[in-house]
Amino acid sequence: MKYSTYQSIFPMNLEKLQENQKKGNKGFSQLIAQMITNTLLLKLLILVIVVWIAGAGVLTVFAAPSVPKVEVTKLTVQSGDTLWQIAIKHKPERMDTRVYIEGIVRINGLEDRGVQAGQVLRLPYF
């Protein structure tokens, strides 16, 4: 009886099975290596994305248009001038005069609100 046992019926399959088992061990180590490689690639991709977003933010900050430097207007106080009169002449159209006077006081470091003839005042820009 030629085909009475499993091995006699499928002699090629046993050899292939043994080869696959040997390769299977290599396949498992290759699978582990591939998983580690995929994990490292994922971490690298996340790192690249984070660096790219941070770099884009930094570039946006430096690429923003700069505020032009405005020259401070200087005014020499004439005899009889008051802060109120100066503020009315030089304040923006819709600004409250008291707010502009406060700006003059702060920018010039005035302790009181009195001014003297010949005094040079810097006028705030709004």
Side-chain angles (χ1 to χ4, degrees):
M1 193 167 208
K2 187 174 180 184
Y3 298 107
S4 63
T5 64
Y6 177 81
Q7 292 178 352
S8 64
I9 297 173
F10 302 105
M12 301 290 276
N13 287 344
L14 181 60
E15 291 172 7
K16 286 183 183 179
L17 181 63
Q18 289 173 349
E19 285 178 27
N20 286 341
Q21 284 178 349
K22 289 179 183 177
K23 289 180 182 177
N25 292 339
K26 289 181 182 178
F28 182 72
S29 62
Q30 288 174 348
L31 180 63
I32 298 285
Q34 185 178 8
M35 286 174 40
I36 291 172
T37 303
N38 288 344
T39 304
L40 290 175
L41 286 175
L42 180 62
K43 288 179 181 179
L44 180 63
L45 178 64
I46 291 171
L47 179 66
V48 167
I49 290 171
V50 168
V51 169
W52 179 65
I53 290 172
V58 169
L59 289 177
T60 302
V61 168
F62 287 116
S66 61
V67 177
K69 292 184 180 180
V70 178
E71 292 184 23
V72 177
T73 304
K74 292 185 178 182
L75 172 80
T76 304
V77 178
Q78 302 298 317
S79 179
D81 282 347
T82 63
L83 281 178
W84 188 266
Q85 293 169 338
I86 294 169
I88 289 175
K89 289 180 188 175
H90 298 283
K91 72 177 180 72
E93 192 175 318
R94 294 188 177 174
M95 180 177 266
D96 186 353
T97 306
R98 293 169 292 196
V99 173
Y100 195 77
I101 290 172
E102 186 63 33
I104 294 172
V105 169
R106 285 186 184 197
I107 198 171
N108 290 288
L110 301 177
E111 292 182 18
D112 59 0
R113 302 201 183 262
V115 290
Q116 298 176 0
Q119 184 177 5
V120 178
L121 295 176
R122 293 178 297 164
L123 301 179
Y125 176 77
F126 289 98

